[in-house]
Amino acid sequence: MIETLALVRLQSIINHAMWHPIVALHIPDGFLNFPVIAVTWVIAIGLIALALRKVQDEYQDRTVPLMGVCAAFIFAAQMINFPIPGGTSGHLLGGTLAGALLGPWAGSLVMSVVFIVQAVVFQDGGITVMGANIFNMGLIGTFGGYYLFRAIRNGIGRDKLQGMVVGTAIAAWVSVMVAAIVCAFELALSEAVPLQVALIAMMSWHVLIGIGEALITVATVTFIWRTRPDLFYRAPHRAITSTPRSLSIR
Amino acid sequence: MMLLHGGAFSLAIDNQRSTPWQDLTPQARILCVVIMAMAIALTPNGHWLTWGTYSIGILSTVLVSQVTLSVLLQRLAVELSFVSVVLLGTLFREGGDILWQWGIVSITTTGLTILGSVTLKALLSLLLLNVLTLTTPVTDLLQGLKTLKTPVLLVAILASMYRYLGVLIEEFNAMRRAAVSRNLMIGRRWQRLVVGNMIGSLFIRTYERGERVHQAMLSRGYQGLPFFQESPKNTGYDLIALSLTVLFAIAGQVAYWVV
Amino acid sequence: MLSYVTSWADWMHHNPISIENLSYTYPDGTLALKGVDIQIQANERVALVGANGSGKSTLLQHFNGILLPQEGSIVVGEYVMEPRKLSDIRNFVGLVFQNPDDQLFMPTVMEDIAFGPMNQGLQGEELLRRCHSSMYAVGLDPHHFGDRNANNLSGGEKKRVAIAGVLAMQPQILVFDEPSAQLDPRSRRQLIHLMQGLPMTQLIATHDLDLALELCSRTLILSEGELVYDGPTEAVFYDEVFLQSHSLETPLSFSRPYCQLSDVPSKEVARINHDHSGVF
C-alpha cells in the first residue's frame, strides 16, 4: 500500500518535472540579476495597476467575482494534460485564450493573478522574479497575443469562425514563442545562461509547446463559439443582438 | 491528468504551533521572506561566504519554526526538479579554465561557478518560501498582502480565485470522469477534441458562476468596494524581527568582503 | 438560538410583499413573467412552485432588486423597488441561492458570514456578535466552524453557512431558491426544522413538493410566466389533473399510497384472522 502511494507520488513528480521545465516560462528565483529584476518589476506593477483601473472601469462591481473565477479557471485549465502530436503531452499557458475571452486588460490581469498565486502559494516560479514572469506571459503572452489575434481575426472577418480559429492558432503559437525568446534574453542578460544555449533550449522546446497551446486554444474557442459566442470579449455581431454578455444589473 | 497541486488546501500544516516565527504577524513574515529572498537573489555569483552565512540563518529559521521536515523535503524535491533543467543550461559556457571538453561542448570553471551559485540561490529561496507557506494559511497571506498596501481590489480578486480554485478543479474532474465513463478518452485526436470542449464548457460554466456569485454578492449589499476584516496590528516584536532580518542580510554581504 | 429568535421577533412588524402586474421580457425576447400579482402577509411561509422555465428564478431575482420590474410594481415593506432604494431593499429581503458554492465566495466561513454585515457598516465587537448569533441560529458552532475553509464543508454545512450569511444581515423576509436541492435526506430534514424555526416571512421556490407541503400552508404556482394558482397547499396537491396540466407531478407522499406502511399490516391482519378462525 505504502509502496503504491510512493510510486504514485514519484510518478507525479516525474510527470511534473517532465512538463514543467518545458513551461519554463515560470522562471525560478536566483536566475535573474538586479537590472532585469528591477525593469521587469516596474513594468509588471505598471501593467497590473493600469489593468486594475481599466477592468474596474469596464466591469465595475462585477470585477471581483468575475476576475476571481476566471483566474481560477485559467489555473485549473493549466493543469490539464493535453496530448500533442508526436507523442508528448502539453499544458495550456492560456495567455491568448484569456485575451480572446476577456480582452487584453482583463486577460492580462487574470494571468498576473494566476502568476502571483502560483509563485506565492505553490512556489511555481520565484517571487523575486515574479515581475519577469508577469512581464513575459501577462504582457507579451496575453496583451501581445490578443492584438495579434485581433488583427488576424479582423483580416479574415470578425463574424467568421475561421477568423477566430486562424487568429487564435497563430496568436497562441507566436505568443508562446515570443515569450520564450524574451525569457531566453532575460536569462542571458542576467548572465545565468549563455544566449545561444538559452535561445536554442527555449525555442526548441516551445516550438512543440506552442503547437499544443494553439491546438488547445482552438479547440476551446471553437466550442465556445458554437455554444455561447456572446461570451467572447468582442463577440460576433449576431451574438451581441441575441443575448447580452451579462443579464444582471447593478 | 495530474493534480499536482492536489494538496493545495492542506498547505499550512504547521500554522498552529507557537514558535518565535509563528508569533510574527503574517505581514512581518512576508516582509522577512521577501527581504531575504531579494538579498539572496542580488548577491553576485561566487560569493560563497555570503550564502554560507544566509544558509545558517535560513536553516535556523527552519528549525525554529518547527515545520514538518518530511513535508518540507518532499516539496523541495518536487520544486527543485522543475529548476534542474534550466540549471543545466547555466553550465555550458565559455570563460575561465576548461575542465572538460567533448566536441564543441565544454565545461569551464566559470560555468561551474554559475551553476553552483544559481543552484544555491534557488535552493535557499525555495527553503524560505516553503517555510512561509507551511506556516501561514493562504487567508493570512492575503491579509498580510493587504496590510502591506497591496491594492484591495487585487487582494479581493486573489481571495475569490483561491475560493473557487477547488470548486473548478472538482467540476473539471467530474466532467473528465463522465467523459472517461463514456469511453471518450480513447485515441489522441479524439481526446484533444474532448479536452478542448471540456475546457470550453468549463469556461462557460465559470463565467455563469461568476455572474451568480456577483448576484449573491449584490444581494448581500455589495457595492463594489470589498471589505476585509481588520488584520492583526504590527507589533514591536515584528519590528525587532524585521530589523534583525535587514541587519542579517547586510551582515551576509559584509562577510564576503571582510573575510 | 432561542434568544436570537425572540429578541428578533419583537420588532418584526413589517408590511407585506406586494407585487402588482409584474411582467418581464429578456433582451432576447423571451417573455419570462406575464402580469403576475402576489400579496404576501407578514410571517407567512409561502411556497413558489413551477416547472423548469416557468419563470420562478426570474421572479426571485425581482425580490432582491437583481432584476428591476420592466412593467408593474413591487413594494417590499415600505420600499418601492427602484434603483435608489436597492441597498435598503437588500437589507430587508435576504436571498438564499440555490447553490451554496455560488453564495460562499470568501475563503473562510467567518469571513463569508461577515460579508453582509460589513457592507451594512458593522465593525468590531458588534460584527462578531452578529456573526456568532447567526451561526448559532443555523446550528453551527462559530468556534469550530469560523476558520473552516469553505471548500471543506459538506453540502448540508455549506447550506447552513449560506443561510447564516443571509441571517447575519437581519432581513425580515427570506427568499429561498431550491433550498433542498442536492441535500441528503438527513440534511434536508434538518433544513426543514431550521426553516420552521425561523421567525421571518419566507418565500420558498422549490421543486420539492413534499417540502412545500410540510412547510407552507399556502402555495403559488407559476406556469409559463403566469401565476395560475394561489391558495392552500393541500388543496392543489390533490388535484392531479391541474398539476399535470402545468407540467407538475403530485408529491410522493400523495401519489404512491401503495408505498405506505398501512397497506402491509392489513394483509397481515387478514392472515391472523384466518388463523384464529381455524382455532375456533
Side-chain angles (χ1 to χ4, degrees):
Chain A
M1 182 63 201
I2 292 172
E3 280 128 27
T4 336
L5 274 178
L7 199 68
V8 170
R9 175 85 196 160
L10 189 70
Q11 236 162 14
S12 96
I13 291 174
I14 293 170
N15 274 344
H16 198 164
M18 291 280 282
W19 70 266
H20 203 276
I22 304 174
V23 190
L25 294 174
H26 290 67
I27 306 172
D29 277 318
F31 282 82
L32 300 185
N33 67 3
F34 181 70
V36 178
I37 288 179
V39 170
T40 48
W41 260 118
V42 168
I43 297 173
I45 290 175
L47 172 74
I48 293 176
L50 205 59
L52 274 176
R53 191 158 350 126
K54 292 271 184 187
V55 172
Q56 174 81 327
D57 285 348
E58 192 190 334
Y59 289 86
Q60 303 197 5
D61 56 356
R62 294 194 297 151
T63 305
V64 172
L66 273 186
M67 295 304 115
V69 292
C70 287
F73 161 74
I74 292 287
F75 194 113
Q78 284 187 346
M79 300 190 343
I80 294 161
N81 221 342
F82 191 88
I84 302 177
T88 50
S89 62
H91 291 260
L92 186 74
L93 274 161
T96 306
L97 182 64
L101 292 173
L102 300 168
W105 292 109
S108 50
L109 179 63
V110 159
M111 291 302 286
S112 305
V113 165
V114 169
F115 278 108
I116 293 172
V117 169
Q118 282 173 340
V120 176
V121 183
F122 300 105
Q123 279 83 56
D124 214 351
I127 53 163
T128 57
V129 297
M130 202 154 68
N133 284 330
I134 291 174
F135 172 79
N136 297 349
M137 272 317 292
L139 184 67
I140 296 179
T142 310
F143 224 82
Y146 172 76
Y147 280 103
L148 181 58
F149 149 73
R150 185 186 162 123
I152 297 171
R153 184 184 171 198
N154 282 350
I156 295 177
R158 174 173 167 176
D159 292 335
K160 285 186 193 154
L161 173 60
Q162 199 194 357
M164 202 54 150
V165 167
V166 176
T168 47
I170 295 176
W173 189 82
V174 170
S175 70
V176 167
M177 283 306 278
V178 173
I181 291 169
V182 172
C183 187
F185 271 95
E186 285 163 356
L187 289 173
L189 277 174
S190 304
E191 291 171 356
V193 183
L195 184 61
Q196 269 180 316
V197 177
L199 273 180
I200 292 170
M202 291 301 265
M203 285 174 70
S204 55
W205 278 124
H206 285 86
V207 166
L208 257 184
I209 289 301
I211 293 174
E213 179 83 8
L215 282 172
I216 310 176
T217 309
V218 165
T220 306
V221 156
T222 313
F223 180 84
I224 296 171
W225 181 276
R226 292 198 173 130
T227 16
R228 284 290 301 274
D230 57 301
L231 288 186
F232 284 110
Y233 176 65
R234 280 170 76 243
H237 289 103
R238 67 183 162 86
I240 300 176
T241 45
S242 64
T243 32
R245 211 155 174 247
S246 155
L247 292 174
S248 62
I249 54 150
R250 265 144 216 133
Chain B
M1 159 108 183
M2 137 201 67
L3 279 184
L4 42 115
H5 302 307
F9 304 104
S10 52
L11 267 178
I13 51 171
D14 296 311
N15 74 315
Q16 294 299 342
R17 299 177 206 278
S18 174
T19 74
W21 170 255
Q22 272 91 335
D23 288 345
L24 289 170
T25 56
Q27 58 266 29
R29 286 182 230 169
I30 296 175
L31 267 186
C32 287
V33 167
V34 169
I35 290 170
M36 279 314 294
M38 275 293 173
I40 294 165
L42 300 184
T43 307
N45 290 337
H47 288 207
W48 308 111
L49 208 65
T50 305
W51 292 315
T53 320
Y54 287 167
S55 53
I56 295 170
I58 291 167
L59 287 178
S60 38
T61 314
V62 170
L63 291 180
V64 164
S65 63
Q66 293 177 15
V67 291
T68 315
L69 285 177
S70 56
V71 177
L72 180 70
L73 290 178
Q74 256 189 354
R75 292 176 58 108
L76 268 184
V78 177
E79 289 152 8
L80 278 176
S81 62
F82 317 154
V83 181
S84 54
V85 172
V86 196
L87 272 176
L88 267 185
T90 62
L91 190 57
F92 306 106
R93 58 167 62 244
E94 290 164 11
D97 303 325
I98 295 178
L99 297 175
W100 181 83
Q101 192 157 21
W102 186 70
I104 49 161
V105 180
S106 63
I107 293 177
T108 63
T109 45
T110 320
L112 271 184
T113 311
I114 294 179
L115 175 71
S117 304
V118 174
T119 311
L120 260 179
K121 285 182 183 184
L123 179 66
L124 291 178
S125 308
L126 279 177
L127 262 175
L128 268 175
L129 274 164
N130 276 309
V131 169
L132 181 67
T133 42
L134 281 175
T135 55
T136 320
V138 174
T139 43
D140 287 2
L141 285 176
L142 292 173
Q143 284 285 359
L145 284 179
K146 195 203 70 181
T147 319
L148 296 172
K149 304 282 177 231
T150 313
V152 182
L153 196 61
L154 186 61
V155 179
I157 295 174
L158 286 167
S160 158
M161 173 200 178
Y162 178 67
R163 164 70 182 92
Y164 284 105
L165 205 50
V167 177
L168 291 198
I169 290 172
E170 194 33 60
E171 207 159 278
F172 185 83
N173 275 339
M175 278 197 265
R176 199 185 61 90
R177 280 194 296 270
V180 170
S181 76
R182 289 199 292 154
N183 251 347
L184 295 184
M185 290 303 213
I186 293 175
R188 300 172 70 83
R189 276 193 68 182
W190 194 226
Q191 200 178 336
R192 273 200 291 278
L193 181 72
V194 172
V195 173
N197 286 0
M198 283 199 286
I199 299 180
S201 86
L202 186 66
F203 176 76
I204 294 171
R205 289 202 209 177
T206 302
Y207 202 92
E208 287 169 350
R209 182 184 293 278
E211 295 283 328
R212 290 196 303 271
V213 172
H214 174 236
Q215 292 178 356
M217 290 171 84
L218 281 185
S219 77
R220 286 205 274 157
Y222 183 66
Q223 285 162 345
L225 274 179
F227 288 100
F228 282 93
Q229 279 169 315
E230 283 164 45
S231 341
K233 291 267 177 299
N234 299 329
T235 60
Y237 178 56
D238 285 351
L239 208 66
I240 296 170
L242 279 175
S243 325
L244 281 178
T245 310
V246 172
L247 281 178
F248 183 67
I250 296 170
Q253 302 294 331
V254 172
Y256 175 80
W257 299 107
V258 173
V259 181
Chain C
M1 180 171 172
L2 267 181
S3 66
Y4 172 76
V5 170
T6 47
S7 67
W8 198 341
D10 290 342
W11 50 273
M12 253 207 17
H13 294 290
H14 60 77
N15 300 322
I17 298 177
S18 163
I19 295 179
E20 274 166 22
N21 197 26
L22 180 70
S23 296
Y24 191 86
T25 313
Y26 278 105
D28 63 351
T30 318
L31 189 59
L33 293 175
K34 284 179 247 178
V36 172
D37 289 292
I38 301 173
Q39 306 289 329
I40 295 177
Q41 307 301 319
N43 295 346
E44 256 191 315
R45 262 202 307 265
V46 180
L48 176 64
V49 176
N52 287 333
S54 60
K56 276 192 314 254
S57 305
T58 313
L59 182 60
L60 288 191
Q61 294 185 12
H62 278 91
F63 281 100
N64 201 268
I66 286 169
L67 295 178
L68 292 177
Q70 287 172 337
E71 222 176 282
S73 73
I74 304 179
V75 181
V76 181
E78 56 199 282
Y79 309 107
V80 178
M81 185 71 69
E82 54 178 19
R84 277 187 309 122
K85 289 276 182 258
L86 279 185
S87 72
D88 291 322
I89 287 172
R90 283 169 184 162
N91 287 336
F92 195 83
V93 183
L95 203 56
V96 179
F97 284 69
Q98 176 176 353
N99 185 348
D101 270 329
D102 294 338
Q103 196 177 333
L104 308 183
F105 40 80
M106 298 299 270
T108 65
V109 169
M110 189 56 93
E111 282 176 292
D112 193 82
I113 292 175
F115 182 84
M118 272 167 112
N119 281 322
Q120 291 174 325
L122 250 56
Q123 281 178 338
E125 260 318 286
E126 207 187 341
L127 176 69
L128 205 65
R129 215 175 313 126
R130 180 84 74 85
C131 295
H132 281 195
S133 66
S134 57
M135 283 183 82
Y136 281 125
V138 297
L140 294 175
D141 179 2
H143 305 290
H144 178 55
F145 279 95
D147 289 333
R148 289 275 295 274
N149 193 313
N151 281 306
N152 304 338
L153 301 174
S154 73
E157 286 164 351
K158 278 184 191 169
K159 197 82 202 178
R160 281 162 188 270
V161 175
I163 296 175
V166 174
L167 286 183
M169 298 178 71
Q170 299 196 334
Q172 303 194 34
I173 300 169
L174 271 182
V175 179
F176 291 89
D177 188 1
E178 293 294 350
S180 62
Q182 294 161 359
L183 289 185
D184 61 30
R186 171 175 283 187
S187 309
R188 177 177 169 279
R189 165 77 19 221
Q190 290 167 338
L191 177 78
I192 291 176
H193 277 304
L194 169 63
M195 288 166 75
Q196 276 168 337
L198 294 173
M200 56 285 280
T201 308
Q202 292 173 44
L203 184 80
I204 302 159
T206 184
H207 291 303
D208 183 349
L209 300 191
D210 294 288
L211 175 126
L213 205 56
E214 210 159 329
L215 279 172
C216 311
S217 53
R218 178 179 165 202
T219 292
L220 310 171
I221 296 183
L222 268 181
S223 181
E224 294 177 2
E226 281 177 286
L227 192 67
V228 292
Y229 178 83
D230 180 355
T233 307
E234 296 230 359
V236 72
F237 285 176
Y238 275 117
D239 191 345
E240 201 171 326
V241 179
F242 178 80
L243 289 180
Q244 298 246 327
S245 69
H246 296 293
S247 321
L248 294 168
E249 303 269 320
T250 41
L252 290 182
S253 47
F254 280 30
S255 61
R256 292 188 189 167
Y258 49 85
C259 287
Q260 286 171 6
L261 283 172
S262 59
D263 283 4
V264 184
S266 65
K267 284 176 193 163
E268 202 76 348
V269 170
R271 192 177 60 81
I272 293 166
N273 283 345
H274 180 77
D275 289 351
H276 277 262
S277 64
V279 172
F280 291 106

